[in-house]
Amino acid sequence: MNAEGKTVLVVDDDESMRMLCRVNLELEGYRVLEAETVERAKELLAQEAVDVVLLDVHVGTGNGFTVLESLRGERVALFTGSFQVDEERAALVDAVMRKPFTLTELSETVARLAAASARLHRR
């Protein structure tokens, strides 16, 4: 998968988690944006073309699921360390990643979703 030109938004209130994702995804050629709050994520989604969103369930005092309302076809991987994602909520996203996840899982999930995003945008 060629990551060039693909943008990933990482939404998590944990700075170290955002940095882990950013550093590893940038090494693969992705452009990475970071949001530490639900409000900031919504601002970025309104301003930027994003291919993939990595979304934590709990973003500070906010609920990551409220970000889904701002999406315009972006592919979403939900990650969580404590929240059980039921079938109804899992159906709202393209992937669920349990924390802690491996770098391989991060890379493969983003590559798969970015490829799906490219197919969606070509239609």
Side-chain angles (χ1 to χ4, degrees):
M1 164 69 199
N2 182 359
E4 188 174 331
K6 300 291 181 187
T7 300
V8 178
L9 172 61
V10 181
V11 184
D12 197 318
D13 59 330
D14 182 343
E15 184 177 359
S16 61
M17 180 59 69
R18 291 193 317 271
M19 183 174 72
L20 171 93
C21 293
R22 179 178 44 80
V23 168
N24 286 282
L25 293 173
E26 284 178 347
L27 286 171
E28 294 184 21
Y30 294 97
R31 175 176 172 247
V32 180
L33 306 173
E34 297 179 44
E36 67 285 348
T37 66
V38 167
E39 294 76 21
R40 181 66 180 140
K42 289 179 180 181
E43 288 172 11
L44 286 169
L45 286 164
Q47 300 167 358
E48 300 276 349
V50 173
D51 298 287
V52 177
V53 178
L54 300 178
L55 178 63
D56 191 15
V57 172
H58 302 291
V59 185
T61 58
N63 180 339
F65 285 105
T66 64
V67 173
L68 297 177
E69 303 162 356
S70 302
L71 300 179
R72 301 172 307 271
E74 295 86 353
R75 297 300 184 182
V76 179
L78 188 68
F79 46 74
T80 181
S82 61
F83 185 80
Q84 292 297 79
V85 180
D86 59 36
E87 285 184 30
E88 183 178 328
R89 288 194 170 165
L92 299 174
V93 297
D94 301 290
V96 176
M97 296 170 48
R98 302 267 179 227
K99 290 181 184 177
F101 48 80
T102 66
L103 295 180
T104 300
E105 183 180 1
L106 173 67
S107 177
E108 289 175 354
T109 300
V110 170
R112 179 173 51 82
L113 296 183
S117 176
R119 286 192 300 274
L120 178 72
H121 290 249
R122 278 194 296 241
R123 290 183 184 171

